[in-house]
Amino acid sequence: ATSIAQRFFTGAMSLGALSPEAHEDLAIAMNLVGGISNTGEGGEDPRRFATRGTARDRDSRAKQVASGRFGVTPQYLAQADELQIKIAQGSKPGEGGHLPGHKVTELIARLRHTQPGVSLISPPPHHDIYSIEDLAQLIYDLKQVNPFASVGVKLVASDGVGVVAAGVVKGLADAVQIAGADGGTGASPLSSIKHAGLPWEVGLADAQRTLVANGLRSRVRLQVDGGLRTGRDVLVAALLGADEYGFGTIALIAEGCVMARACHRDTCPVGIATQREDLRAKYAGTPEMVAAYLLFVAEEVRRGLAVLGLRSLDEAVGRVDLLEPRVDVDAEGLEVSRLLAVPDMVAGGDDSRRYVEHVALQSPRSALGDRLFDEAFPALFDGTMQGLRYDIRNADRTVGARLGGAVGLEFGDADGQARPLGTVSARFDGEAGQSFGAFLTDGIEFVLTGEANDYVGKGMAGGRVVIRPPADDAGDPVLLGNTVLYGATGGTLFVAGRAGERFAVRNSGADAVVEGVGDHACEYMTGGTVVVLGPTGVNLGAGMTGGECFVLDATAEILGRVNTQLVEARRPEGAELARVHDLVAEHVERTGSARATALLEEWPEHRVHLWRVAPRTAISRVEATSRGAVGAPQ
């Protein structure tokens, strides 16, 4: 039974949907039985992380990300045994996650790098994932920032999900989770819980069948959750092909949940799904309660295996031939033969029942990123200065993430944690591939002479990235791709050229100067300062609940490009102008930009053409919360 329990995990219920006490007890319980708890899409309090000399008993081994949002920092990523990319969730497919504003307390806002009282949503797609290639890039990014963690992808049970699962495995994911329709987080709308999604059995059978038919099953761990409660549920899941089994609602019941259905109202009477201190004081759960329940389930699984004549759970995985349709229930119109079809094996015999151990089996490496780590990290650790230079090409992807993750693991993140002792300045010449400078940290400077692709500075928590054109450039260059500074929580970016679309989406603390952006810039931004010394696209500032964006626009066209639902554009004044001047002056110093130099030389004439785009002060937190869908994405 103890070995069976190591296949168990808790559902991705976020700190925010759950109280800090209930969330932490789930982690402790899973660590007691050798299973895995999942942080959910909401980050984790760094005080729970295992550090040198401390036991790992309070942190969640699986840390969920929706790209670079909600507490996704280099330290957070480096602390994980498994990183799970959330693409969808079973109780409300197509809607993403949701946390009402009244549950976003000061603590939750700090951990998620957002504003207290503002509703949080995550409508899929995730602003940076529009194709299986984008998803494969994010898998690659995570394998660089933490080469010791496995990477999983959470999908929703649906007809045809097997095809998506096959693409995910080809993108080198180590695990695929199929989430069923039952259950729901501490914030799911009742309409979603009752009327959306499909049972996990449908999605699991489809995924197992498709992966086996394509010779991919032995390359991935297949996980399932969505209403599992008993040992029989686990047995059925194993026979349908699952390797690992998740418990959500029932785990909360084990620690005292009474199913009051008040999660979204923040009035949980037993202190589990609430942030109210008076109700949290009523919480009486313990990790041992959850651990005891899971061991009872594991014992029931063990006895069921014995009845079937199987010696281990390994032998049960994929044995769909041991399942039969029930004849003792009225199921008129329900045809289950497809669920019970034995998958066709590919030529050569892919083993449909092979269980893949809890290790990352597929670890593509960035040669330049690993070389940078080897040469730069000793200086950061020892307290010295290091200057490096490299040629870079667009095949060199995610350069800097390995270094950023190592610094995050050793020193923590910049906000309140220790800083690296030394400094590194790395200079690059050429064309950087995707995710250049992703998950960068303090103490590191990247200077690129050339151009870069998408995702520059994704999730960066500190440091500096400078991009300038080559000497023979014709002028007014486009130096960046799309989705730059996605989910950044700190650091600075200076670009002597234009960027593509979705610049600084969900930026939560980075400062940047750029000389032109495309559509949807500063979308869902919650912190930091962006200065645009050139043209902008439409829909600027949609869902922006924090930070500020300054735009140089002599024609006032910006007034027709701003999304006025939450933000307004007005002339800056006083300290705001001084802040812009300082950033532009540093931009000139770092990049030598001719456009910025001309602006400073005639500052009195040009400053009158600046506009400040920021959340409207007239919008109270209550109003922002009531608008829900336009708040910062969860």
Side-chain angles (χ1 to χ4, degrees):
T2 54
S3 66
I4 291 171
Q6 294 175 28
R7 303 281 191 92
F8 295 167
F9 62 90
T10 57
M13 298 172 287
S14 69
L15 176 54
L18 305 185
S19 68
E21 297 81 7
H23 193 272
E24 185 170 320
D25 278 355
L26 289 179
I28 296 173
M30 298 311 294
N31 290 333
L32 283 173
V33 302
I36 293 180
S37 64
N38 191 311
T39 60
E41 187 190 0
E44 190 171 23
D45 195 335
R47 70 178 180 81
R48 289 168 49 182
F49 292 158
T51 57
R52 190 183 294 109
T54 62
R56 185 172 196 184
D57 59 355
R58 297 191 300 166
D59 68 334
S60 295
R61 291 173 56 197
K63 305 196 188 301
Q64 194 180 71
V65 306
S67 301
R69 292 190 289 216
F70 302 118
V72 178
T73 65
Q75 182 188 28
Y76 174 82
L77 297 174
Q79 289 280 346
D81 286 350
E82 179 167 320
L83 295 167
Q84 184 185 74
I85 301 168
K86 173 185 175 182
I87 294 297
Q89 58 191 70
S91 72
K92 43 191 171 179
E95 296 182 31
H98 175 230
L99 192 66
H102 50 261
K103 298 187 78 169
V104 184
T105 62
E106 294 284 348
L107 170 65
I108 302 305
R110 175 174 60 82
L111 296 179
R112 299 189 180 210
H113 300 271
T114 185
Q115 309 298 320
V118 175
S119 181
L120 304 176
I121 63 168
S122 62
H126 289 159
H127 303 284
D128 65 332
I129 299 175
Y130 291 94
S131 66
I132 199 69
E133 290 82 9
D134 291 334
L135 180 59
Q137 176 61 39
L138 180 54
I139 294 171
Y140 185 87
D141 291 340
L142 297 180
K143 286 177 178 284
Q144 306 313 306
V145 72
N146 186 344
F148 306 105
S150 61
V151 176
V153 176
K154 183 177 181 180
L155 305 175
V156 65
S158 59
D159 188 30
V161 71
V163 175
V164 182
V168 167
V169 177
K170 291 178 181 179
L172 300 185
D174 303 295
V176 172
Q177 179 176 333
I178 304 296
D182 293 332
T185 67
S188 296
L190 290 179
S191 60
S192 298
I193 294 177
K194 293 182 178 298
H195 305 295
L198 289 178
W200 56 262
E201 293 91 339
V202 175
L204 177 59
D206 189 6
Q208 169 77 356
R209 184 168 54 248
T210 305
L211 292 174
V212 171
N214 287 275
L216 299 171
R217 181 62 181 89
S218 62
R219 289 171 50 180
V220 69
R221 289 179 284 116
L222 202 51
Q223 304 168 329
V224 66
D225 80 330
L228 300 183
R229 287 174 171 79
T230 66
R232 182 185 182 279
D233 292 337
V234 172
L235 276 174
V236 172
L239 298 177
L240 286 174
D243 297 309
E244 297 169 5
Y245 319 93
F247 301 87
T249 301
I250 196 66
L252 299 184
I253 291 175
E255 63 179 3
C257 171
V258 295
M259 297 290 286
R261 302 287 186 183
C263 307
H264 58 294
R265 291 196 292 267
D266 200 29
T267 58
C268 175
V270 291
I272 290 177
T274 179
Q275 301 303 319
R276 285 175 47 180
E277 293 188 7
D278 59 327
L279 296 176
R280 286 165 52 191
K282 300 177 182 293
Y283 174 68
T286 67
E288 289 76 16
M289 294 161 64
V290 180
Y293 163 75
L294 293 174
L295 290 175
F296 277 124
V297 173
E299 176 62 23
E300 186 179 358
V301 174
R302 189 198 65 76
R303 296 183 182 188
L305 290 171
V307 171
L308 291 173
L310 302 173
R311 294 169 297 180
S312 69
L313 198 52
D314 284 342
E315 294 186 4
V317 174
R319 289 294 304 278
V320 68
D321 57 291
L322 296 178
L323 286 169
E324 296 180 358
R326 291 182 60 174
V327 295
D328 60 332
V329 295
D330 182 12
E332 183 179 355
L334 182 62
E335 175 57 60
V336 297
S337 60
R338 286 192 64 194
L339 298 182
L340 304 182
V342 178
D344 295 328
M345 307 287 282
V346 297
D350 178 34
D351 185 359
S352 64
R353 296 182 299 278
R354 176 183 171 190
Y355 174 72
V356 184
E357 294 294 339
H358 287 259
V359 294
L361 299 182
Q362 308 160 72
S363 298
R365 303 305 310 149
S366 167
L368 183 56
D370 286 348
R371 179 185 169 194
L372 172 69
F373 165 75
D374 292 337
E375 296 178 358
F377 188 74
L380 295 169
F381 186 83
D382 296 335
T384 59
M385 298 179 62
Q386 177 77 287
L388 302 168
R389 188 151 206 145
Y390 306 97
D391 289 329
I392 191 169
R393 296 293 176 262
N394 59 14
D396 296 316
R397 297 182 291 155
T398 323
V399 174
R402 173 80 188 279
L403 182 59
V407 172
L409 182 63
E410 184 66 34
F411 299 100
D413 292 324
D415 51 350
Q417 303 291 327
R419 298 167 64 91
L421 301 176
T423 58
V424 168
S425 178
R427 298 181 179 272
F428 302 86
D429 295 284
E431 306 82 34
Q434 291 176 316
S435 300
F436 178 74
F439 306 112
L440 217 58
T441 55
D442 278 345
I444 306 169
E445 178 190 55
F446 279 8
V447 180
L448 169 65
T449 301
E451 57 189 4
N453 279 272
D454 300 337
Y455 315 131
V456 171
K458 174 196 290 186
M460 69 184 295
R464 180 168 56 237
V465 176
V466 177
I467 301 179
R468 52 199 184 197
D472 59 353
D473 185 82
D476 196 23
V478 176
L479 299 183
L480 295 178
N482 302 314
T483 327
V484 173
L485 289 181
Y486 186 84
T489 58
T492 53
L493 171 69
F494 299 99
V495 184
R498 300 193 193 192
E501 296 184 355
R502 301 193 180 276
F503 185 87
V505 168
R506 215 338 178 134
N507 173 34
S508 302
D511 294 337
V513 181
V514 65
E515 300 185 359
V517 294
D519 297 341
H520 316 295
C522 301
E523 191 174 22
Y524 298 117
M525 188 163 142
T526 67
T529 300
V530 171
V531 178
V532 182
L533 304 180
T536 66
V538 299
N539 201 36
L540 177 68
M544 183 178 179
T545 57
E548 55 189 352
C549 174
F550 296 94
V551 179
L552 182 65
D553 181 7
T555 64
E557 290 182 357
I558 186 67
L559 297 176
R561 298 177 181 272
V562 171
N563 186 313
T564 58
Q565 202 161 21
L566 281 180
V567 302
E568 64 179 357
R570 62 166 175 80
R571 299 293 188 184
E573 53 192 25
E576 297 164 348
L577 283 170
R579 190 156 56 250
V580 176
H581 185 278
D582 290 346
L583 279 171
V584 174
E586 186 174 0
H587 179 63
V588 171
E589 178 186 353
R590 304 292 177 189
T591 68
S593 165
R595 183 190 296 249
T597 300
L599 171 63
L600 291 181
E601 288 176 349
E602 300 179 355
W603 177 250
E605 290 78 11
H606 288 297
R607 69 182 183 183
V608 298
H609 301 312
L610 283 168
W611 296 87
R612 180 180 184 268
V613 179
R616 286 189 282 121
T617 55
I619 294 183
S620 68
R621 290 177 180 175
V622 175
E623 287 181 276
T625 297
S626 68
R627 300 190 178 194
V630 297
Q634 183 179 350

